[in-house]
Structures are given as structure tokens and as C-alpha cells.
Amino acid sequence: VVYWSVTMATIGMVMVVSIVWFDEDLGLGPDNAWYGMSIGAYGIGSLIGLMWAGGRQFRLSLPAILMRAIPIYALFVTVAVVWHTPWLMLLSWFGWGVALGPELVLGETAIVSNVADDARGRVSAMQSVCVQLGMAVGYGVAGPLVDLIGARATNLVIAALTLSFLGM
């Protein structure tokens, strides 16, 4: 739950950063469609990743999968802004969504199987609250950070923060 909360903070940060990046860094203006298409690509990627992961059995444990997925997430976060090309955000968010599938399938299963039946509702509610708080923290941190160092540099900070999850 702590990992997912911090992960959601980085997702909130990336969402803020990408708005500024599309508008100010790329000069596409607030009416561009790339932001919406990128979020759509993330959703489609997540759907594909969940369908793929949900239909298979994994030989690797959740920590082993996370050790492989976290660098992929960091790479996708970095690639999107290193090259000033809007379609890379769309591709990186799609890849991020696909990579999330195994993590969610195994993680949610681990939570359900390790929590007593009579506590699952409370644990699920606590998990949802923590994840939403994580995203709120990400939004709150990203705005001032973007103002301070810019969208591209903030995105690289997010990539480094994502890599630090390996220690978690």
C-alpha cells in the first residue's frame, strides 16, 4: 500500500508535468489533444496489460516483477521528455500502462489472500484512501517543483524517484 501510494504520487506529478510540457515547452498551447490522447493511451495500455496478466500464471514473485517493472517505468518517464516530441508521451504512457498489468494482478491478489475475510472491506477502503492521498501529494508537489525547475527537469526528478522505489 505504501509503494502504491508513492507510485500514485509520481503519476500525479507526471500528469501535472505533462500539461506544462505540452503547453509551454513544446508550445502546443492548452487546446492541444496530445495530453488527452496520452491519458487514453495509458488507459488502453493498462487494459491490455491487465488482460494479458490476468490470463496467465507467473513464476516470478511480486517483488521480482517489481524489480523488473520499476526501471521500465523510469525509462518511460524519461523518454517522454528527453526528446521534444509529443507522440513519445503517448507511447511512453501506453508502455507504462501495459507494464502495470502484472503488478496489479499479483499485488491485488496478494492483498486479498493475506487479509482475513472480515477485514477485507476495511483494508480495501484504507488502500483506496492511501492511493488517492498519494496522488494528491503528487499534485501538490509537482506544481511548485515545475515552477522552480521546469517541466523537463521535474520529469527527470520523477524518473529518479521512480528508480528509488527499487530500494523499497
Side-chain angles (χ1 to χ4, degrees):
V1 171
V2 170
Y3 167 78
W4 279 337
S5 299
V6 177
T7 298
M8 290 307 291
T10 63
I11 291 171
M13 291 175 75
V14 166
M15 292 175 81
V16 170
V17 166
S18 63
I19 292 169
V20 176
W21 183 70
F22 281 129
D23 184 24
E24 295 178 7
D25 290 9
L26 294 180
L28 296 174
D31 298 334
N32 79 81
W34 285 106
Y35 180 76
M37 290 189 308
S38 297
I39 291 201
Y42 174 78
I44 292 167
S46 296
L47 177 65
I48 290 169
L50 287 168
M51 287 173 36
W52 174 81
R56 56 181 289 128
Q57 291 195 353
F58 290 91
R59 293 187 185 117
L60 297 173
S61 66
L62 179 59
I65 286 175
L66 289 176
M67 293 295 282
R68 287 161 175 80
I70 289 170
I72 293 171
Y73 298 151
L75 176 68
F76 286 139
V77 169
T78 303
V79 163
V81 295
V82 168
W83 292 277
H84 268 358
T85 309
W87 58 267
L88 280 175
M89 184 69 80
L90 185 147
L91 288 180
S92 72
W93 282 14
F94 175 80
W96 199 359
V98 171
L100 184 68
E103 174 185 333
L104 285 181
V105 167
L106 289 176
E108 292 286 341
T109 303
I111 288 174
V112 169
S113 65
N114 287 304
V115 173
D117 290 345
D118 61 340
R120 283 192 185 134
R122 291 186 301 280
V123 170
S124 178
M126 181 265 314
Q127 176 187 359
S128 294
V129 168
C130 290
V131 164
Q132 293 304 315
L133 284 173
M135 185 164 270
V137 167
Y139 291 144
V141 169
L145 200 55
V146 167
D147 288 343
L148 182 67
I149 64 175
R152 285 181 88 185
T154 300
N155 215 60
L156 295 176
V157 167
I158 296 166
L161 179 62
T162 302
L163 278 176
S164 74
F165 297 164
L166 289 170
M168 192 182 289

